[in-house]
Amino acid sequence: MPDLNVVVSPTAIPDDAVEAAREWGGTLVPAGHTVATGYVDIHQVICFTGPGSQLQPAEVERAYRRQLALADAQTWPPPTGYWRHDGRFVLTDGRNRYVAALMLGVRYVFVAWLCPAAEI
């Protein structure tokens, strides 16, 4: 990736947008919000899982094979999440792709997060 531009985490999300950002899985964009994307160091990503959620080995294998075929490229739509107060990215959707990238030694993962309109 010779032209890689790594995104430095934005400032803390305003209180009124925190809940929307934490719940967002990337399927719908709430009114007044926009989506930002960028690459983040894979070791600065935290996987968020709710009670009873498990990784499905077949899904991880499928993501692994797809990432292997892509080499350095990454897919759209990207895994989604939000920025934590300490600058780490919390993944809320796309765990299988994240685990596959981690298994393959990918250094940066392409992600998306929700932003209030005033932040862009």
Side-chain angles (χ1 to χ4, degrees):
M1 291 187 178
D3 296 327
L4 177 66
N5 293 313
V6 179
V7 175
V8 178
S9 65
T11 57
I13 298 172
D15 290 339
D16 60 339
V18 169
E19 211 46 48
R22 286 187 177 161
E23 297 298 322
W24 185 63
T27 56
L28 298 172
V29 178
H33 291 76
T34 55
V35 177
T37 61
Y39 284 88
V40 64
D41 185 316
I42 201 162
H43 299 293
Q44 294 301 314
V45 175
I46 297 170
C47 275
F48 172 79
T49 58
S53 65
Q54 299 177 0
L55 286 174
Q56 301 295 322
E59 295 295 323
V60 173
E61 180 183 359
R62 189 173 303 127
Y64 179 91
R65 290 175 186 260
R66 186 173 185 191
Q67 185 59 50
L68 189 60
L70 290 170
D72 286 339
Q74 303 216 11
T75 62
W76 183 266
T80 60
Y82 62 93
W83 292 99
R84 205 165 74 166
H85 61 83
D86 64 357
R88 296 185 77 187
F89 190 80
V90 180
L91 199 65
T92 56
D93 186 50
R95 291 181 305 145
N96 295 328
R97 289 178 283 168
Y98 169 74
V99 170
L102 194 59
M103 291 167 53
L104 285 165
V106 173
R107 178 140 183 222
Y108 296 96
V109 64
F110 183 60
V111 296
W113 61 93
L114 199 58
C115 300
E119 201 173 291
I120 296 290

